[in-house]
Amino acid sequence: MILQAIFLFISGAEIGFILFIVLLVFGADKVPDIARGIGKAMRQVKDATNDIKSEISKGAQKQGIDIDITKDVQKQIDKVKENVDEVTGPIKRKF
């Protein structure tokens, strides 16, 4: 199920067919080079994203802005839980 989400709901047979077409178009000797290039590009994008995140965090800290939204989200979740408990309190069965 996780693999389906990663591959945008493409089944195993469809992935195999795509790999077969790539093999036919580029040849067996070029596929590792292409995969290596894609891997390097993905790594550069990830590094650039992390650099941007760190720069934003540093700038926010210099300005005194709290960027940790997890506390706010957790507070909202707790409020919703309390509201649900208030509504379902008399309905719940204790086992």
Side-chain angles (χ1 to χ4, degrees), residues 17-80:
F17 182 72
I18 291 169
L19 291 175
F20 178 71
I21 296 298
V22 167
L23 186 63
L24 285 177
V25 171
F26 295 108
D29 55 338
K30 298 289 182 186
V31 172
D33 294 333
I34 293 170
R36 192 174 301 114
I38 291 172
K40 286 180 182 179
M42 290 174 63
R43 181 65 184 179
Q44 288 177 349
V45 168
K46 183 178 178 183
D47 290 343
T49 304
N50 288 337
D51 289 343
I52 291 170
K53 286 179 185 178
S54 67
E55 289 297 322
I56 290 172
S57 297
K58 288 177 186 176
Q61 287 176 351
K62 286 180 182 177
Q63 297 295 324
I65 300 171
D66 184 21
I67 59 167
D68 189 23
I69 63 168
T70 57
K71 294 175 187 175
D72 296 332
V73 171
Q74 188 62 44
K75 287 179 186 177
Q76 293 297 324
I77 290 172
D78 291 339
K79 286 180 184 179
V80 170

